[in-house]
Amino acid sequence: MSLYEPKNTSHRGQYQWSRTGDAAAIAISDLQPYLRVKMEQARIALEVQELVVAARNTPPTQPPAGSDLGSVLARLRNEVVTVLNQDRRAASRRGSLAE
């Protein structure tokens, strides 16, 4: 866990917690029942982690059984684009409110 201190001194610091791999999958699984906005991203992240685990247990000369990495990555890309577009729209609305 780390503390991020914003440049703007009127903003409070943010504690940031980071996990990757299996530890992230455990955290996502535990948090998933409480998610509303990021539910689909969490589901895709868990699918990607399942593919990673399957790949670990598969010889490098053959693809993991039942994996469709291309479709999972395509869905992940679409989710990223959707979130970025939502962020842009929100920033645009904030900008128009400030005028």
Side-chain angles (χ1 to χ4, degrees):
M1 186 177 307
S2 61
L3 175 63
Y4 167 75
E5 293 288 349
K7 293 176 184 167
N8 185 334
T9 55
S10 67
H11 294 172
R12 292 187 294 171
Q14 301 172 4
Y15 286 96
Q16 299 176 345
W17 181 68
S18 175
R19 290 289 174 260
T20 60
D22 294 335
I26 292 167
I28 291 169
S29 293
D30 290 346
L31 292 170
Q32 205 170 15
Y34 306 99
L35 297 176
R36 292 183 182 183
V37 176
K38 301 288 184 175
M39 178 61 84
E40 182 63 14
Q41 288 92 331
R43 195 176 61 70
I44 292 170
L46 291 174
E47 282 186 54
V48 169
Q49 183 60 20
E50 285 177 17
L51 291 173
V52 169
V53 170
R56 276 189 214 141
N57 300 323
T58 304
T61 55
Q62 68 186 69
S67 71
D68 188 6
L69 183 59
S71 77
V72 172
L73 292 177
R75 287 198 330 266
L76 180 59
R77 180 188 178 285
N78 289 338
E79 283 298 317
V80 168
V81 168
T82 299
V83 169
L84 290 175
N85 287 336
Q86 289 170 347
D87 289 346
R88 286 186 189 116
R89 284 193 297 271
S92 175
R93 284 192 300 271
R94 283 191 303 268
S96 66
L97 293 175
E99 293 174 1

